[in-house]
Amino acid sequence: MSRIAGAIVHFGALDTLSASGTPLHRLDPRAKVVTTLAFAAAVASFGKYAVLPLLPFALFPVALASAGGVPFGLLGRRLLLALPFVVLVGALNPVLDRMPVSLGPFAVAGGWMSFTSILLRFVLTVSAALVLVAVTGFHEVCAALGRLGVPRPLVTQLLVLHRYLFVLLEEAGRMERARSLRTFGGRGRGLPASGAFLGTLLLRTWGRAERIHFSMLARGFDGVLRFERPLRFGAAAVLFTSGWIALFLAFRLVDVPRLLGSFLAAAAP
Amino acid sequence: MHMADALVSPAVGGTMWAATAGTTALACRRVRQGLDDRRVPLMGVLGSFVFAAQMVNFQVPGTGSSGHLGGALLLAILLGPHAAFVVVTSVLAIQALFFGDGGLLALGCNAFNIGFFPAFVAYPLVYRPLAGPGAGPGRRTAASLLAAATGLCLGAFGVVLETTASGITELPFRLFLGAMVPIHLAIAVVEGLATAAVVGFVLKVRPDVVEPGPAAPTPTSRLGAVFLAAALVLGGFVSWFASRQPDGLEWSIAKVTGRPATAEENAGRAATTLAGIGGGLATLVLVGGAGWALRRR
Amino acid sequence: MSHHLVIADRLHFRYPDGTPALTGASFRIAHGESVGIVGANGAGKSTLLMHLNGTLLPDSGEVRIGEEPLTPDRIPDVRRRVGMIFQDPDDQLFMPTVRDDVAFGPLNMGLPPGEVEARVTAALRRTGIEELAARPPHRLSGGEKRRAAIASVLAMSPDVLVLDEPSAGLDPHGRRALIGLLREFTHTKIVATHDLDLVLDLCERTIVLDRGTVRADGKTREIFADEPLLASCRLEKPLSMQGHWGRS
Ligand SMILES: Nc1ncnc2c1ncn2[C@@H]1O[C@H](COP(=O)(O)OP(=O)(O)OP(=O)(O)O)[C@@H](O)[C@H]1O
Ligand SMILES: [Mg+2]
């Protein structure tokens, strides 16, 4: 089944990336998590027609992806797959908002500007999130969240969920393959069959939870998963966080492309 | 339906983050108070289950289309509202981080729309009263359908409110709502039927799994407070939005230019705009160069 | 060293759905013994093993670890001493990385950080998976998962090692390596398996379980040579013995 297989491949790819040991990977995960959140907030804070002023923000995902060895192809594929909802919600902007906005010698409907802006925000924020996982690793992100005050049951939940994603996706994939070998046309894919399919998967999942619980108990489980990570918010982390946030502020306050443009215009004969 | 970062303003995203953080803290406290350490592996693998189940498509009866399970209602039935909310939030977080579905800023909105309404409203107020212990399959299906419809419509309403309040898309409130509610009612039919089918199957094979446990302490008072607060927050958004933006178009153009624009002014700024585009290209070149340099190191 | 005794005395157990899984199983295993538990699917092997560390408690009869009976208040101590390796390593490796998983038991024992660290390193070295320490378990091969599961139990320094189907899903090489690894563990070993060749290699004594009770208990070679017994318990003579004894 292609969706399940695709998900397994994608998880695997991000996992492999997050295991590489660049200096960026070694940075305290809290620095990366906080900076990425600040990034998302800064990008979201622009007015709806903002296109040019958003461009400099591309520096953040591009720089992190480059320093962390994240291939742009992977980001691009994921962006394309996640695109539809945003396009759906933004696509009517050009139709609904016909107020002309000048763009050089032409005037375009304001809706086109805001639509472009939505797409740009989408590309920026989604790639920043993907890059965050790829250059940090999910466990480290969770460790950071725990230290930043996210309640322990949620952090544990995230870790166990992530641990068994592969196992469950593979199980579902095997069952799905077996099902597709025995279904013809639409038959066997209706609701009763699907109820049984998902019900079976659910029961297997439940059984697995019980076995995991047994094996936890066998090693002295007392209700708490201890996964301490020695985190150290060193000078590099301070520099990283403050540097990027200062840059975001600067990009928010100063329209860099316009400044560059007038500079270029003045330099040109 | 997932809200995306691209459509959320910091005010809306932040408010919903706060609402979700509050609910999460409460839900986590309840989960921990439950003192049932089976919960730890169970919630974890059920999160993975929901994730995998969402990828299994099946045919919707009477139509040519296909759908999949959402899972929030099923989780509430299996785990109770608090644990279900935590599980849904964790699934959404993974989807945002790994798949770019939704986003970090929109996570609060999504957890609320997709997790809170089914778990804390539809399940305790619709499903449980209707499908008490010993309910037959017909009753269970009806309860699932109604509960799914309640949860999903409230969720759709949340999406529309949050999107319009953010003011980034042009879709008018009424039109958007008019489109979202029927879509979500259709999704709710799938969700309700699928949930009932799964519960029905499991009841036959292993009734202990879905038997509602020793009546969960009804979290009415505090939960009511949370819900009321959420309703107020959402209501506040609408009024704030309505007063801020009496007329979308004028308001927005004023925002771009600082004051209402005229055609001449626009033409007069052509040169500046051109320079802006050149500047934009230059910016991208610089960003690309920085990336290239970093990659080569 | 009588405190390493493992004794099962007329164990009876029914699952909540009424399935009678154990119907009076008894045996006595002394320190340092290596015992194979064989039996057809559903004979009750896994159920029996889960009684040995108090995961399940018998409806009647008792388990004794050392001389005293296994009562609920002794469970934490018994779980430290009886290390259990489950059938599916995915059920046992639930932590984010191999290292976290191996540290799970020692941390729960409340050991100081230095001691935890030392035990984790030692267990990883003994099982030969030091370089896999930082890997998440879902990125390990079947044999590596099995090793990691064993490491996670060795880190608790158990006196008794209990294994359920340790060779399931391993290729011949992985199976050889596993046998070598288990040989090095000189304390008591109790291995439930369908892999009779593994029992032949590893265990001088065999207990045959049939429908929840002990059908035979004795020297491995003698038991595996008793064809009527094996047939009546739906078992087959190990491949390596079929050569010596010829096919009938
Ligand atoms: N959780 C359970 N609930 C009900 N019955 C069970 C459960 N687990 C096992 N049984 C039943 O108990 C009996 C003994 O099962 P057990 O798993 O101990 O056998 P086994 O010898 O380990 O089998 P296998 O070789 O297939 O692993 C079987 O009839 C089985 O169906
Ligand atoms: Mg077994």
Side-chain angles (χ1 to χ4, degrees):
Chain A
M1 153 140 228
S2 66
R3 268 187 86 195
I4 293 182
I8 293 178
V9 169
H10 177 68
F11 271 116
L14 278 186
D15 240 39
T16 313
L17 286 174
S18 64
S20 61
T22 68
L24 185 57
H25 281 81
R26 285 194 295 274
L27 194 69
D28 188 303
R30 285 170 291 184
K32 290 176 271 186
V33 169
V34 168
T35 312
T36 307
L37 284 176
F39 173 80
V43 167
S45 72
F46 281 90
K48 69 169 163 184
Y49 292 103
V51 172
L52 285 180
L54 284 174
L55 290 178
F57 283 89
L59 183 64
F60 179 67
V62 166
L64 261 61
S66 303
V70 184
F72 291 116
L74 181 118
L75 299 179
R77 272 195 302 280
R78 212 59 239 175
L79 284 170
L80 278 181
L81 284 176
L83 196 58
F85 175 64
V86 172
V87 171
L88 246 144
V89 176
L92 281 182
N93 279 15
V95 182
L96 295 173
D97 178 2
R98 310 197 132 279
M99 178 60 83
V101 170
S102 77
L103 195 65
F106 314 104
V108 297
W112 282 111
M113 291 299 279
S114 57
F115 182 47
T116 314
S117 178
I118 288 178
L119 291 183
L120 198 55
R121 287 160 201 264
F122 166 77
V123 170
L124 289 174
T125 50
V126 170
S127 49
L130 292 174
V131 169
L132 170 68
V133 176
V135 303
T136 311
F138 188 66
H139 312 140
E140 307 292 321
V141 171
C142 288
L145 291 179
R147 292 295 192 84
L148 292 170
V150 172
R152 184 150 203 142
L154 181 58
V155 177
T156 306
Q157 166 64 18
L158 284 167
L159 287 169
V160 180
L161 164 54
H162 179 254
R163 163 67 186 94
Y164 284 99
L165 256 183
F166 288 82
V167 178
L168 261 278
L169 282 174
E170 273 166 14
E171 199 150 340
R174 277 196 302 273
M175 285 177 60
E176 173 68 28
R177 227 169 298 130
R179 176 172 80 153
S180 71
L181 289 176
R182 287 182 286 145
T183 53
F184 305 97
R187 304 189 61 194
R189 296 188 151 268
L191 259 179
S194 302
F197 180 91
L198 291 177
T200 307
L201 185 62
L202 175 63
L203 286 182
R204 286 193 192 180
T205 308
W206 200 279
R208 187 174 289 283
E210 288 174 338
R211 296 195 306 272
I212 296 169
H213 184 234
F214 284 157
S215 92
M216 287 176 163
L217 289 179
R219 284 188 281 150
F221 179 56
D222 54 7
V224 184
L225 288 195
R226 298 178 178 78
F227 47 91
E228 308 309 337
R229 284 277 186 291
L231 297 184
R232 219 179 61 80
F233 206 85
V238 174
L239 209 67
F240 180 91
T241 313
S242 54
W244 277 111
I245 290 180
L247 208 58
F248 298 155
L249 275 179
F251 288 163
R252 181 68 187 85
L253 298 175
V254 183
D255 186 343
V256 176
R258 212 164 279 276
L259 206 69
L260 260 179
S262 39
F263 187 70
L264 285 178
Chain B
M1 206 167 247
H2 287 77
M3 283 284 288
D5 272 359
L7 303 173
V8 175
S9 71
V12 174
T15 316
M16 298 312 291
W17 253 69
T20 290
T23 316
T24 307
L26 177 78
C28 282
R29 189 131 40 87
R30 278 309 172 87
V31 168
R32 225 182 334 204
Q33 276 168 0
L35 277 188
D36 179 2
D37 58 23
R38 269 186 328 168
R39 283 275 164 106
V40 172
L42 187 57
M43 286 167 61
V45 291
L46 282 182
S48 316
F49 164 79
V50 163
F51 201 100
Q54 289 185 352
M55 301 201 161
V56 177
N57 278 318
F58 50 80
Q59 225 102 51
V60 182
T63 65
S65 62
S66 67
H68 64 77
L69 186 73
L73 179 60
L74 182 63
L75 285 172
I77 295 173
L78 294 171
L79 294 169
H82 296 97
F85 181 78
V86 175
V87 174
V88 173
T89 305
S90 70
V91 171
L92 290 170
I94 295 230
Q95 283 170 339
L97 281 170
F98 283 82
F99 288 87
D101 285 338
L104 299 178
L105 200 61
L107 187 58
C109 300
N110 284 323
F112 218 80
N113 302 337
I114 299 177
F116 183 89
F117 292 125
F120 286 118
V121 182
Y123 171 71
L125 302 184
V126 180
Y127 185 87
R128 259 181 87 105
L130 285 180
R139 230 182 131 85
R140 265 201 324 271
T141 310
S144 305
L145 279 170
L146 269 178
T150 311
L152 280 158
C153 284
L154 283 173
F157 196 62
V159 170
V160 174
L161 279 184
E162 290 147 12
T163 310
T164 25
S166 295
I168 292 179
T169 165
E170 228 25 82
L171 283 175
F173 182 76
R174 282 256 201 75
L175 178 72
F176 195 15
L177 196 64
M180 287 288 277
V181 169
I183 294 177
H184 280 76
L185 277 176
I187 298 178
V189 173
V190 176
E191 178 77 3
L193 289 178
T195 305
V198 173
V199 171
F201 177 84
V202 174
L203 263 176
K204 259 185 256 149
V205 190
R206 262 198 78 175
D208 58 309
V209 167
V210 269
E211 209 75 320
T218 23
T220 35
S221 59
R222 215 174 315 171
L223 207 80
V226 171
F227 185 52
L228 197 67
L232 285 178
V233 166
L234 289 177
F237 268 147
V238 188
S239 43
W240 169 78
F241 171 70
S243 63
R244 277 285 303 270
Q245 215 169 329
D247 179 343
L249 290 185
E250 273 175 26
W251 174 79
S252 36
I253 203 75
K255 179 106 177 170
V256 196
T257 58
R259 65 198 152 90
T262 64
E264 301 88 77
E265 278 175 331
N266 277 342
R269 277 200 311 275
T272 348
T273 312
L274 255 185
I277 293 172
L281 287 176
T283 310
L284 287 183
V285 168
L286 286 179
V287 167
W292 183 74
L294 279 167
R295 206 169 272 269
R296 285 191 28 118
R297 269 192 330 157
Chain C
M1 290 251 269
S2 62
H3 61 284
H4 290 166
L5 278 178
V6 177
I7 295 169
D9 185 14
R10 282 161 295 169
L11 296 180
H12 287 263
F13 180 78
R14 261 175 205 278
Y15 278 100
D17 66 352
T19 317
L22 293 181
T23 54
S26 303
F27 54 78
R28 176 192 175 93
I29 295 172
H31 174 67
E33 271 195 288
S34 177
V35 180
I37 296 186
V38 301
N41 286 126
K45 302 182 293 296
S46 302
T47 310
L48 175 62
L49 295 194
M50 286 200 275
H51 279 76
L52 299 184
N53 75 344
T55 306
L56 297 177
L57 294 174
D59 298 332
S60 69
E62 68 180 17
V63 171
R64 266 173 278 161
I65 305 293
E67 286 297 358
E68 305 125 72
L70 203 177
T71 47
D73 56 305
R74 280 190 67 215
I75 285 180
D77 173 51
V78 164
R79 287 196 175 143
R80 193 192 57 67
R81 289 167 52 188
V82 180
M84 176 88 88
I85 290 156
F86 287 79
Q87 193 156 346
D88 181 352
D90 270 325
D91 297 340
Q92 186 153 7
L93 304 171
F94 43 78
M95 294 295 278
T97 66
V98 172
R99 173 175 293 281
D100 291 324
D101 215 287
V102 177
F104 181 83
L107 279 173
N108 285 337
M109 289 159 69
L111 299 173
E115 170 73 8
V116 171
E117 190 56 34
R119 286 196 179 205
V120 170
T121 314
L124 290 173
R125 182 165 325 124
R126 251 177 103 178
T127 46
I129 50 169
E130 289 144 296
E131 70 286 5
L132 303 179
R135 285 252 199 111
H138 60 259
R139 315 221 82 198
L140 299 178
S141 76
E144 289 166 344
K145 276 185 193 168
R146 190 71 62 176
R147 281 169 178 269
I150 295 176
S152 72
V153 169
L154 288 186
M156 299 177 70
S157 313
D159 305 325
V160 179
L161 205 54
V162 175
L163 302 103
D164 197 353
E165 301 288 2
S167 61
L170 295 188
D171 65 11
H173 176 80
R175 191 172 155 281
R176 269 287 121 223
L178 173 81
I179 292 175
L181 177 63
L182 292 180
R183 276 231 177 83
E184 285 171 26
F185 183 83
T186 51
H187 295 299
T188 314
K189 285 189 282 281
I190 303 174
V191 187
T193 183
H194 293 288
D195 183 348
L196 300 196
D197 286 289
L198 174 110
V199 176
L200 205 55
D201 269 357
L202 208 58
C203 312
E204 58 276 15
R205 174 175 164 200
T206 294
I207 292 175
V208 180
L209 211 58
D210 184 30
R211 274 163 282 172
T213 189
V214 174
R215 270 294 293 280
D217 182 349
K219 288 222 165 58
T220 299
R221 288 217 156 253
E222 285 167 17
I223 284 187
F224 287 177
D226 185 347
E227 293 199 31
L229 170 73
L230 292 185
S232 76
C233 297
R234 290 192 290 138
L235 292 170
E236 283 184 5
K237 190 188 267 192
L239 286 174
S240 56
M241 274 175 73
Q242 290 181 4
H244 295 294
W245 297 77
R247 275 166 204 270
S248 52

